[in-house]
Amino acid sequence: MTKNIAVIEGDGIGIEITAEAVRVLKKIESKYNHTFNFHYVEMGGCAIDKYGTALPDFSLDVCRKADAVLLGAVGGPKWDDPTAKVRPEQGLLALRAGLECFANIRPAKVYKPLADASPLKASIIGGGFDIIVVRELTGGIYFGESGRDEKGAFDTERYSMEEVERIARVAFKIAGGRRRVLHSVDKANVLESSRLWRETVARVSKEYPGIEVINMLVDNAAMQLVRNPSQFDVILTSNMFGDILSDEASQITGSIGMLASASVGGKTGLYEPIHGSAPDIAGKNIANPIAAILSAAMMLDMSFGMKEEANAIDRAVNSVLSDGYRTADIAGEGVAAVSTSEMGKMICERI
Ligand code: NAD
């Protein structure tokens, strides 16, 4: 297969980790006889410095025309002034909107060799933790009407049935390929928009017989995630609840450098690690590239239908970790860490 991949390295460690993800994709290319054309474009702080805007039109254009977009991370202290007119994360929001990515998919998984990294007790995490949070990304309170006057401020949560239907279908499809249990998380005891959410999910569920839907209130879900995490498999939720729960779920794995994400729904999918540009360790070749590498694996699976190739990457990551190799963030005391590039090379060797 021939695929065009737009690559945005971004800022800070984005550059180092993306290089390793591309190294792994090149290995897949040769091993499985594919052709990947990589088109590098700029976004974030580096684009602000060069063009005065976080996402130049031609960067977005290349991304739109590509079969998928691989992103490192953007931002850094140089551009962090919250009052600045142009900021790196404007690029992110514009890119997601420009690609019409309404579904954010975040797997959170504890790799067995890293079980000690979880802040949860072995007796709780022992049942395993391997979930996917499906978060609605372009609607809800972050996009509703908001305002402020001398007495106060307001934000509005508004969802259309169509917005809920389309994100629900994404979640049902994912659940269908896994344990066939879907937790739909809302606040239907208080919010009208959540009642619409619940009714709509129930209606869509008729299209997916055999998948069990469990409705859960968000406060309970936040508690259950740390009390009994293995009950979950796929969580479907709104923009704001998903923002919070996916961060909570990621912390259960204990390692931000391991977690990938996909934003899909439009023609072109966007794949990126969940972490930022980590300016504190940038340029030192010590960042963990696994989140970026697993983001590339998600791209192969979800945008190109290359399940076997994606699984090969996952197995290679597991193998390297089982043999005890760790970057500094997951090494723990007394364990000699490998560098970003060494980790990338070792994963390639095991594919
Ligand atoms: P961060 O995720 O960059 O870093 C948080 C901590 O985790 C740091 O100590 C960092 O060293 C560590 N870390 C992150 N990724 C790592 C990896 N792969 N390997 C090893 N350690 C890793 O979050 P932050 O410090 O809050 O933000 C730094 C910059 O990144 C800010 O400018 C912020 O706006 C930006 N940011 C960008 C994105 C994105 O591009 N999607 C997301 C979050 C933050």
Side-chain angles (χ1 to χ4, degrees):
M1 255 191 243
T2 298
K3 294 290 176 190
N4 289 308
I5 302 171
V7 181
I8 302 172
E9 298 170 299
D11 308 308
I13 63 164
I15 299 160
E16 300 152 65
I17 55 159
T18 307
E20 299 314 313
V22 169
R23 192 200 296 275
V24 166
L25 286 171
K26 285 186 173 157
K27 172 74 191 213
I28 292 288
E29 196 181 19
S30 64
K31 171 143 190 186
Y32 291 87
N33 219 359
H34 298 303
T35 303
F36 296 147
N37 300 315
F38 297 98
H39 304 275
Y40 284 79
V41 289
E42 287 147 313
M43 185 181 95
C46 58
I48 292 175
D49 285 352
K50 218 162 152 185
Y51 309 104
T53 170
L55 180 65
D57 288 346
F58 54 83
S59 290
L60 178 59
D61 202 41
V62 169
C63 292
R64 273 207 186 115
K65 286 181 182 143
D67 296 307
V69 181
L70 183 68
L71 169 65
V74 297
K78 186 175 172 194
W79 310 280
D80 260 356
D81 174 5
T83 60
K85 277 219 173 84
V86 200
R87 291 175 46 83
E89 58 273 22
Q90 290 167 346
L92 266 180
L93 296 180
L95 182 64
R96 287 174 186 154
L99 298 176
E100 293 163 36
C101 297
F102 65 81
N104 183 238
I105 294 160
R106 271 208 202 179
K109 169 172 164 178
V110 173
Y111 280 81
K112 278 219 173 81
L114 292 183
D116 285 351
S118 173
L120 296 186
K121 282 192 266 187
S123 57
I124 293 178
I125 207 72
F129 186 63
D130 177 2
I131 71 160
I132 294 187
V133 179
V134 179
R135 166 190 170 196
E136 202 289 326
L137 200 60
T138 54
I141 197 162
Y142 295 170
F143 290 87
E145 196 191 336
S146 65
R148 190 179 255 245
D149 60 27
E150 57 289 347
K151 289 209 186 109
F154 69 96
D155 300 278
T156 316
E157 169 99 345
R158 172 181 276 279
Y159 268 114
S160 70
M161 281 178 222
E162 196 212 329
E163 283 173 317
V164 183
E165 278 164 12
R166 65 184 189 178
I167 188 71
R169 288 196 180 99
V170 171
F172 275 106
K173 277 187 199 133
I174 292 173
R178 292 173 53 103
R179 277 166 41 192
R180 304 180 75 74
V181 182
L182 179 64
H183 283 80
S184 177
V185 173
D186 59 39
K187 189 73 183 166
N189 55 340
V190 179
L191 301 176
E192 197 55 43
S193 55
S194 277
R195 288 192 274 274
L196 176 98
W197 182 280
R198 203 175 267 212
E199 284 160 28
T200 310
V201 170
R203 205 171 49 249
V204 173
S205 76
K206 299 205 173 78
E207 299 166 23
Y208 300 89
I211 298 181
E212 185 190 359
V213 178
I214 298 172
N215 292 300
M216 198 177 263
L217 297 175
V218 64
D219 38 356
N220 187 24
M223 184 175 73
Q224 294 296 335
L225 264 171
V226 290
R227 257 187 86 167
N228 179 14
S230 56
Q231 70 186 288
F232 295 103
D233 188 49
V234 179
I235 293 176
L236 161 67
T237 192
S238 63
N239 201 343
M240 182 166 67
F241 296 158
D243 191 6
I244 299 163
L245 292 180
S246 60
D247 266 22
E248 185 187 357
S250 72
Q251 286 312 302
I252 292 172
T253 71
S255 44
I256 196 172
M258 297 283 302
L259 297 169
S261 80
S263 300
V264 298
K267 186 185 145 283
T268 311
L270 170 65
Y271 300 85
E272 57 181 312
I274 70 156
H275 60 73
S277 60
D280 51 336
I281 56 167
K284 295 182 180 163
N285 197 22
I286 58 171
N288 187 346
I290 295 179
I293 290 169
L294 293 175
S295 302
M298 285 187 87
M299 178 175 85
L300 296 178
D301 179 14
M302 299 184 64
S303 276
F304 305 163
M306 299 178 184
K307 207 161 197 66
E308 195 191 325
E309 291 85 334
N311 288 340
I313 297 175
D314 200 55
R315 278 197 305 273
V317 168
N318 234 319
S319 157
V320 170
L321 295 174
S322 297
D323 287 349
Y325 296 107
R326 307 273 189 272
T327 43
D329 57 311
I330 50 174
E333 263 174 55
V335 180
V338 301
S339 69
T340 309
S341 47
E342 281 165 342
M343 181 56 94
K345 279 183 202 152
M346 274 192 281
I347 291 170
C348 282
E349 279 161 19
R350 284 154 200 251
I351 288 174

